[in-house]
């Protein structure tokens, strides 16, 4: 058990917690977490995206690897410094273009990009009043959760990668969340 479980992907480890109390105890220990992280970092599948003022690189991680960098061309027509990374999940990024505030789903490894903004003003990001996250739903569909706070309103939308549509989600109906006393975390530095 101590040799196999740390080598499982994170999603499988989460499921393995439900097998029995012994597995839950083992997986919840600090020692297991450290072993799991060591095994996950060993793989050469890990990549780092570096975005500079004028260029963008993908680098492999790992102790045995020589520092190999691959320069990539952005699939959208802006300088790399005008791209904000809002959220990431399994190599997929939700980004915002600084000049238009459009949101895009981008996989830099395969150079694939989808603009998720539409004519109904869904998918446009506002600094300091919006929060964005990526998640996988129960049907394994990648989704973008976009929380927008306006004047005395909170609007929550979810974008489905599978259907390419936005859907409104009822959320935070209590009025005290709608005030300027609450600031959403954008997940990055936008200065």
């Amino acid at each position: 058990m101590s040799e196999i479980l740390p080598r499982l992907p994170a999603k499988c480890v989460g499921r393995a917690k439900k097998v029995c109390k012994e597995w839950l105890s083992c997986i919840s220990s600090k020692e297991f977490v450290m072993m799991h992280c060591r095994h996950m970092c060993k793989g050469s599948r890990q990549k780092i995206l570096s975005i500079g003022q004028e260029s963008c690189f993908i680098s492999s991680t790992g102790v045995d690897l020589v520092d190999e960098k691959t320069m990539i061309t952005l699939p959208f027509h802006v300088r790399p410094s005008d791209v904000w990374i809002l959220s990431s999940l399994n190599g997929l990024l939700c980004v915002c273009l600084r000049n238009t505030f459009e949101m895009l789903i981008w996989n830099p490894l395969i150079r694939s990009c989808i603009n998720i903004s539409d004519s109904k003003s869904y998918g446009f990001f506002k600094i300091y009043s919006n929060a964005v996250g990526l998640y996988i739903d129960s049907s394994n569909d990648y989704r973008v959760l976009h929380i927008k706070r306006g004047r005395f309103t909170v609007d929550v939308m979810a974008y489905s990668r599978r259907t390419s549509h936005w859907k409104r989600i009822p959320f935070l109906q209590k009025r005290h969340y709608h005030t300027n006393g609450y600031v959403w975390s954008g997940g990055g530095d936008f200065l």
Side-chain angles (χ1 to χ4, degrees), residues 83-170:
V83 175
W84 293 327
I85 298 174
L86 304 176
S87 184
S88 67
L89 179 66
N90 297 339
L92 200 61
L93 304 176
C94 183
V95 300
C96 175
L97 304 182
R98 185 183 227 164
N99 57 343
T100 62
F101 301 103
E102 293 172 292
M103 291 186 341
L104 301 100
I105 298 176
W106 176 35
N107 185 331
L109 292 176
I110 62 171
R111 316 306 196 269
S112 172
C113 183
I114 301 166
N115 186 331
I116 60 174
S117 303
D118 69 9
S119 60
K120 297 177 186 170
S121 80
Y122 299 141
F124 290 91
F125 185 76
K126 286 186 178 178
I127 302 170
Y128 307 119
S129 62
N130 287 192
V132 173
L134 284 167
Y135 69 98
I136 301 173
D137 70 8
S138 59
S139 66
N140 283 330
D141 182 16
Y142 281 85
R143 292 188 176 250
V144 176
L145 183 68
H146 186 190
I147 303 173
K148 304 188 309 182
R149 188 187 67 220
R151 187 167 170 83
F152 304 111
T153 64
V154 174
D155 193 20
V156 180
M157 304 296 293
Y159 178 85
S160 165
R161 188 164 174 232
R162 184 174 294 140
T163 65
S164 301
H165 286 94
W166 286 96
K167 179 181 178 183
R168 184 177 307 275
I169 298 174

Side-chain angles (χ1 to χ4, degrees), residues 43-55:
S44 62
R45 298 179 355 206
Q46 301 281 328
K47 305 287 183 193
I48 295 176
L49 176 67
S50 305
I51 299 177
Q53 290 293 322
E54 300 297 328
S55 59

